[in-house]
Amino acid sequence: MEPGPGGQKGSGKWQRPRFTRKALMRCCLVKWILASAAPQGPDSSDSDLELSTVRHQPEGLEQLQAQTKFTKKELQSLYRGFKNECPSGLVDEETFKTIYSQFFPQGDATTYAHFLFNAFDVDRNGSIRFEDFVIGLSVLLRGSVTEKLNWAFNLYDINKDGYITKEEMLAIMKSIYDMMGRYTYPTVRDDAPSEHVEKFFQKMDRNRDGVVTIDEFIETCQKDENIMSSMQLFENVI
Amino acid sequence: MAAGVATWLPFARAAAVGWLPLAKKSMPKPPVDKKSRNDEILFVNVSGLRFQTWKNTLDRYPDTLLGSSEKEFFYNEDTQEYFFDRDPEMFRHILNFYRTGKLHYPRHECIQAFDEELAFYGIVPEIIGDCCMEEYRDRKKENQERLAEDTEAEMATDIPLPPDSTSRERLWRAFENPHTSTMALVFYYVTGFFIAVSVIANVVETVPCRPPKGSVKDLPCGEKYSLAFFCMDTACVLIFTFEYLMRLFAAPSRCKFMRSVMSVIDVVAIMPYYIGLVMPENEDVSGAFVTLRVFRVFRIFKFSRHSQGLRILGYTLKSCASELGFLLFSLTMAIIIFATVMYYAEKGTKGTNFTSIPASFWYTIVTMTTLGYGDMVPNTIAGKIFGSICSLSGVLVIALPVPVIVSNFSRIYHQNQRADKMRAQQKVRLARIRLAKKGTTNAFLQYKEDGGLQDRDSDSTALCVKNRSSFEHQHHHLLHCLEKTTNHEFTDELTYSEVCMTESVGYRTSRSTSLSSQQGLSSSCCPRRPKRRAIRLANSTVSVSRGSVQELDMLHVQKVAHQRLSVCASSRSSLNARSEDLKLNCDDRDFTAAIISIPTPPANTPDESLPPSPAVPGILRNSRSGSFTHETVKISSL
């Protein structure tokens, strides 16, 4: 066995430690002393500050007016409310879940809030900006029926692949039933969500291929009177 | 709900579009909001200082003065502003609460003034944010204690007793406040004198007097003039016994009195005498008897009734007990260590004083407290070394850190208290959240009961429904949409458990249901206790009699009265003159509903089974407390 270049580890024989300057510097104690003496590096404290200094300014009022169907006053009012709640201009998922859960005190609204969050957060960056918020609201409140149905389809399609599968629908349905909570009349049975999903698929899935596409969805909804009439319900919310 | 949530409600309602394709039933109509939607700036003039804010900001908290229609009472038509004749400095904080959702307590303000302002504006102090909550609580507690002290002191002064007090009360008062009557004062001084006499006699008893003729040894005076001392002792004990018995007779609560410290001292002071009387003049027991005499010195503690200072000292010691205990413990540890070391160091020496470790304790204590009697000294070198270490550490352990320890403990103690306070606060916060949730649910269920969810036109709806804020209308509409989507209804915990019980136990009875039991909620009987249910079932086999109808009336009257009280208590809108109509409308409908159900024997809903949910503090308004009307409409189906 030829000896490797000097100082190779794992050679099996204990090497006498050399008190070189290098070795000394590597000693933990020295490192610690130096570290505590040196001024605080920029890396440690910054990560705490990072989140709080991130701020988002929305696009101009005119641009938003062009993108949405809200009037200037409405946009102003919306932004005031939004900014008051989220001074940084962004809503992250946890905050969103907390806010949404407060409307449904009896049940657990966090799962549905998660799906909602993904539906609003179009660019999937983990936070909702004011533009996302207002564009989503514009579709829901001032959009045409087709746009609203599109939005609903987008909500149900969890992985955004253009198809609603039974699993996705079941997840959505379960989350909705979760919001009802325990104390309901009649009591929510365990198979209620799946039963509901079956009914939904029976209605929507025309070609019985196990998935619902956007065209099937829109077509079926347009034929259903109840759904069409209820689409007008929330127009006066703002 | 918090301020911000009101802002998000439109968003939550818009998101309900996602339920529409899934709904099992058709969706209800949304509430019509006739008020103008445009946000406007309001002017609020508080004693000359003019504030401006958006109307939406104030509407965030609909159950406070500024957020509800109550502020209309303060509207000044001429100047087009709301005028409040209150403190403008405080108003700044109140308004900031609306703006930020957090209530802060200004440290320089008087706590009572702040509380009064909060009460005026209808804000509950529990909302104070965490940053200021501790300060607020501390100041409040301090204030309350001070007030309690003041009231106590007030009561303790010479307020004349009500004329119809019994002699017993007068006697007790005389004992507690000797300044009230001359007799009491005389008695007070007499007892004081006799305590002093008794203590001095105890002391003088042991002084050596000149020996009687024919003897060399010095006798203690007690034995020379034994008769005189005995007579003095008897007199004192008689007085003390008399006093104790009088106090026992006059005490308002005898058990409490007997357990109090002063009473124990009294008993301990006089017991030795009586024990000495009954004990025979026996050599064996006289030793024990002598020991008992020591307890006579406790008579000196009776002075604490006469001295405020002694009482304060006792109280201080009691309150510092844990710190002192720890100090003692650490000293004990040091003593044991050094005693052990000294013992083993000196073990070899002949004729040493350090015969055992306990014997070395004495040396260690004397050395550490720097007394140094010199009755025990180490001889070996090791012993001397350790002895010097012992004395040096004694200086350190005892002399130096007493103030440091005291301040340290003060800090640790407060930290501990802070941890406890935070835990308590956490519990309070969780309880508050639970209460708020329950309040929201209850409000929604009550709203349903009042028929708020049916299609309404302006005339037929009860005013109590109309008067709810638009926020509540919209929120309830949202919850109703959810119900329709899933085709299940929200209920409360009680009804849910009832229904469970019905389904499992009373199933045979509900089989033969009448039509009326299909609507709404039906159950066999009482909510909580199954035992009662069994009894009820038996009763309900009796056919409907006048009695049961009267029972229903009675029940209903009770319930109406209960509701009326609760409406007055919690609804702000009941300030309106139309409040009578308001209640009547709602109650009438309930009443008619109940009458319809009479053919089947009514389930006797005990009103007391439902604890009225307390008015949710400042967060969501409960226009009624939790006595649900649908409980009384329950029909036993047989």
Side-chain angles (χ1 to χ4, degrees):
Chain A
M1 261 186 296
E2 43 182 6
Q8 194 177 19
K9 295 198 191 96
S11 59
K13 201 169 159 209
W14 178 73
Q15 302 254 345
R16 201 156 160 218
R18 300 239 173 81
F19 285 107
T20 58
R21 191 162 170 273
K22 224 192 219 172
L24 208 59
M25 292 305 279
R26 268 193 254 131
C27 170
C28 314
L29 185 61
V30 178
K31 261 200 209 160
W32 179 76
I33 294 173
L34 286 175
S36 52
Q40 285 294 337
D43 31 279
S44 55
S45 40
D46 249 12
S47 53
D48 294 330
L49 291 173
E50 228 178 71
L51 278 175
S52 53
T53 50
V54 163
R55 198 172 88 85
H56 176 77
Q57 271 175 324
E59 306 165 6
L61 204 49
E62 286 79 17
Q63 275 171 296
L64 280 177
Q65 250 186 303
Q67 283 176 322
T68 66
K69 299 198 178 86
F70 289 121
T71 66
K72 195 164 177 181
K73 271 203 154 78
E74 286 171 342
L75 280 173
Q76 281 179 330
S77 178
L78 276 174
Y79 187 66
R80 277 201 304 271
F82 185 83
K83 178 80 175 171
N84 203 40
E85 291 317 303
C86 315
S88 60
L90 297 169
V91 187
D92 65 336
E93 191 165 338
E94 282 312 308
T95 322
F96 187 84
K97 281 184 180 168
T98 324
I99 292 171
Y100 199 71
S101 304
Q102 293 196 311
F103 291 109
F104 303 97
Q106 277 203 321
D108 174 26
T110 46
T111 330
Y112 187 71
H114 167 75
F115 295 133
L116 258 189
F117 186 85
N118 286 337
F120 269 89
D121 184 19
V122 281
D123 47 2
R124 311 304 288 270
N125 62 349
S127 58
I128 298 183
R129 306 164 305 162
F130 182 63
E131 291 94 332
D132 304 330
F133 178 66
V134 123
I135 289 172
L137 269 187
S138 166
V139 166
L140 288 172
L141 299 177
R142 306 268 192 264
S144 67
V145 175
T146 323
E147 285 173 356
K148 289 182 191 174
L149 289 173
N150 252 321
W151 188 90
F153 185 86
N154 190 39
L155 172 69
Y156 304 146
D157 185 12
I158 298 177
N159 55 1
K160 318 285 177 224
D161 61 352
Y163 300 104
I164 304 180
T165 63
K166 277 201 181 160
E167 290 78 24
E168 290 174 336
M169 204 60 228
L170 190 59
I172 300 268
M173 203 60 78
K174 271 209 189 121
S175 65
I176 294 182
Y177 275 88
D178 278 345
M179 283 199 284
M180 290 296 293
R182 263 188 71 206
Y183 305 120
T184 58
Y185 178 79
T187 326
V188 173
R189 296 189 320 273
D190 290 333
D191 59 348
S194 23
E195 191 198 308
H196 200 154
V197 168
E198 282 306 321
K199 269 210 248 173
F200 176 79
F201 264 78
Q202 268 176 13
K203 206 163 99 171
M204 301 279 171
D205 192 10
R206 288 299 154 106
N207 53 1
R208 303 273 171 252
D209 58 354
V211 292
V212 177
T213 63
I214 179 74
D215 305 308
E216 286 175 341
F217 183 70
I218 295 187
E219 205 188 309
T220 322
C221 286
Q222 278 173 340
K223 295 217 184 81
D224 187 334
E225 282 223 4
N226 269 338
I227 297 180
M228 294 308 282
S229 61
S230 59
M231 282 285 169
Q232 262 60 265
L233 267 184
F234 296 104
E235 276 177 3
N236 298 328
V237 164
I238 296 205
Chain B
M1 275 184 226
V5 180
T7 322
W8 291 94
L9 181 64
F11 162 76
R13 297 183 67 210
V17 165
W19 303 333
L20 297 180
L22 305 174
K24 281 191 170 169
K25 292 241 174 108
S26 60
M27 290 291 173
K29 282 217 197 104
V32 174
D33 200 5
K34 294 197 190 115
K35 290 189 288 225
S36 86
R37 288 321 217 111
N38 282 335
D39 210 359
E40 43 170 342
I41 294 190
L42 297 179
F43 298 97
V44 180
N45 187 339
V46 184
S47 300
L49 207 58
R50 246 171 141 237
F51 295 88
Q52 297 176 12
T53 179
W54 290 107
K55 185 167 180 301
N56 271 357
T57 312
L58 293 180
D59 284 342
R60 284 190 197 147
Y61 294 98
D63 56 341
T64 57
L65 186 152
L66 291 169
S68 63
S69 54
E70 195 180 343
K71 63 177 183 278
E72 302 302 324
F73 282 99
F74 299 91
Y75 189 68
N76 189 343
E77 297 284 348
D78 309 324
T79 50
Q80 299 266 313
E81 61 189 15
Y82 295 92
F83 181 76
F84 293 97
D85 198 10
R86 309 286 298 191
D87 189 353
E89 306 289 322
M90 297 279 211
F91 189 75
R92 196 173 63 82
H93 301 285
I94 307 277
L95 197 53
N96 274 342
F97 165 62
Y98 286 91
R99 291 180 181 141
T100 60
K102 292 202 203 67
L103 182 62
H104 294 282
Y105 166 60
R107 280 171 169 74
H108 57 272
E109 296 285 355
C110 168
I111 186 91
Q112 268 198 308
F114 187 65
D115 269 345
E116 277 166 16
E117 291 296 313
L118 286 185
F120 179 80
Y121 291 107
I123 298 172
V124 184
E126 274 75 29
I127 308 184
I128 291 183
D130 288 336
C131 41
C132 300
M133 189 48 143
E134 197 181 322
E135 173 85 22
Y136 174 80
R137 279 231 167 120
D138 286 342
R139 292 276 291 268
K140 190 143 190 194
K141 202 161 76 165
E142 197 185 303
N143 201 36
Q144 273 173 350
E145 280 174 3
R146 191 177 311 137
L147 283 177
E149 261 176 40
D150 286 346
T151 20
E152 235 182 73
E154 226 178 70
M155 285 190 346
T157 52
D158 314 320
I159 303 173
L161 274 177
D164 53 348
S165 55
T166 65
S167 63
R168 188 173 151 188
E169 285 175 10
R170 276 202 296 253
L171 196 59
W172 179 248
R173 190 132 180 284
F175 275 127
E176 293 298 298
N177 316 330
H179 309 284
T180 48
S181 75
T182 332
M183 270 301 296
L185 206 58
V186 163
F187 188 72
Y188 174 76
Y189 283 126
V190 162
T191 36
F193 173 71
F194 271 100
I195 295 173
V197 159
S198 162
V199 169
I200 292 174
N202 279 347
V203 166
V204 167
E205 228 175 34
T206 58
V207 171
C209 279
R210 236 174 292 126
K213 292 193 180 56
S215 173
V216 181
K217 217 169 47 149
D218 266 343
L219 268 183
C221 281
E223 286 179 30
K224 187 166 173 199
Y225 303 104
S226 58
L227 190 62
F229 277 107
F230 181 72
C231 291
M232 219 183 301
D233 203 21
T234 314
C236 293
V237 168
L238 277 176
I239 301 263
F240 296 151
T241 320
F242 174 71
E243 184 206 354
Y244 180 70
L245 289 173
M246 281 287 108
R247 275 185 204 264
L248 191 62
F249 167 68
S253 157
R254 296 215 173 103
C255 294
K256 196 170 128 197
F257 173 72
M258 287 185 80
R259 283 200 299 257
S260 71
V261 177
M262 289 312 301
S263 147
V264 167
I265 290 177
D266 287 338
V267 169
V268 167
I270 59 183
M271 264 307 130
Y273 178 80
Y274 289 110
I275 294 180
L277 275 185
V278 301
M279 220 154 28
E281 280 298 330
N282 211 336
E283 273 303 315
D284 307 327
V285 293
S286 65
F289 174 62
V290 165
T291 324
L292 269 181
R293 277 182 143 200
V294 167
F295 284 105
R296 287 187 306 170
V297 81
F298 276 91
R299 286 177 197 168
I300 207 171
F301 284 115
K302 286 168 74 73
F303 266 130
S304 59
R305 275 215 186 93
H306 298 248
S307 156
Q308 176 82 334
L310 267 180
R311 276 206 295 270
I312 289 177
L313 182 65
Y315 179 71
T316 313
L317 284 175
K318 196 165 68 160
S319 63
C320 292
S322 61
E323 281 89 338
L324 286 174
F326 184 71
L327 184 61
L328 219 59
F329 176 69
S330 60
L331 274 177
T332 313
M333 268 176 39
I335 288 170
I336 293 179
I337 291 174
F338 278 111
T340 315
V341 166
M342 288 309 297
Y343 170 71
Y344 282 111
E346 288 289 305
K347 199 153 178 222
T349 321
K350 258 200 200 21
T352 183
N353 277 329
F354 295 84
T355 50
S356 65
I357 294 184
S360 313
F361 281 165
W362 176 240
Y363 170 76
T364 319
I365 292 174
V366 166
T367 313
M368 281 183 90
T369 52
T370 70
L371 278 176
Y373 287 136
D375 53 350
M376 284 164 84
V377 283
N379 291 104
T380 58
I381 296 183
K384 285 183 181 162
I385 291 176
F386 285 119
S388 38
I389 295 177
C390 179
S391 65
L392 284 175
S393 68
V395 166
L396 284 173
V397 167
I398 305 240
L400 271 178
V402 168
V404 174
I405 288 179
V406 164
S407 75
N408 252 1
F409 276 119
S410 162
R411 184 176 51 86
I412 293 173
Y413 181 66
H414 281 134
Q415 261 182 8
N416 231 2
Q417 270 202 327
R418 203 163 293 140
D420 284 336
K421 270 192 229 171
M422 279 220 269
R423 251 175 273 140
Q425 239 180 305
Q426 187 72 5
K427 278 194 203 156
V428 167
R429 195 181 309 138
L430 287 175
R432 205 198 317 159
I433 290 176
R434 266 201 308 270
L435 214 56
K437 286 195 172 177
K438 219 171 132 214
T440 321
T441 321
N442 292 351
F444 177 61
L445 294 166
Q446 191 58 44
Y447 183 82
K448 273 209 291 191
E449 261 314 304
D450 293 338
L453 297 175
Q454 295 151 13
D455 283 339
R456 329 193 296 267
D457 46 4
S458 328
D459 302 329
S460 62
T461 39
L463 282 165
C464 62
V465 170
K466 273 206 271 193
N467 252 345
R468 300 225 176 97
S469 70
S470 67
F471 173 82
E472 278 195 39
H473 281 307
Q474 292 168 4
H475 184 226
H476 294 322
H477 175 250
L478 183 66
L479 292 173
H480 197 207
C481 286
L482 183 60
E483 282 186 340
K484 291 289 182 211
T485 313
T486 54
N487 202 16
H488 288 75
E489 282 177 21
F490 285 110
T491 68
D492 65 322
E493 193 168 336
L494 244 66
T495 334
Y496 172 75
S497 45
E498 263 176 68
V499 169
C500 272
M501 278 203 295
T502 325
E503 286 176 2
S504 56
V505 181
Y507 203 70
R508 48 191 167 82
T509 58
S510 61
R511 260 291 143 209
S512 54
T513 46
S514 50
L515 272 171
S516 48
S517 67
Q518 273 174 2
Q519 44 151 243
L521 306 148
S522 72
S523 80
S524 300
C525 267
C526 306
R528 281 217 183 133
R529 290 161 229 136
K531 286 187 282 207
R532 241 167 160 188
R533 256 179 76 237
I535 299 171
R536 290 288 163 216
L537 276 171
N539 275 347
S540 49
T541 53
V542 175
S543 59
V544 176
S545 58
R546 278 283 135 204
S548 60
V549 174
Q550 277 172 4
E551 213 173 28
L552 185 66
D553 288 351
M554 254 284 290
L555 244 192
H556 210 75
V557 164
Q558 273 178 15
K559 205 181 62 65
V560 165
H562 185 59
Q563 277 178 348
R564 200 150 282 174
L565 256 125
S566 55
V567 172
C568 287
S570 52
S571 162
R572 285 193 88 82
S573 57
S574 62
L575 282 175
N576 289 335
R578 296 172 296 162
S579 55
E580 287 305 308
D581 294 336
L582 202 144
K583 286 171 233 157
L584 275 174
N585 273 348
C586 289
D587 291 343
D588 277 343
R589 278 178 39 249
D590 300 331
F591 199 66
T592 40
I595 288 188
I596 291 173
S597 66
I598 274 189
T600 51
N604 207 351
T605 317
D607 266 357
E608 65 277 359
S609 73
L610 281 169
S613 66
V616 176
I619 293 177
L620 191 68
R621 177 202 340 197
N622 252 354
S623 28
R624 309 254 183 114
S625 62
S627 55
F628 300 113
T629 52
H630 57 232
E631 296 279 344
T632 54
V633 181
K634 264 194 289 292
I635 310 141
S636 129
S637 41
L638 279 174

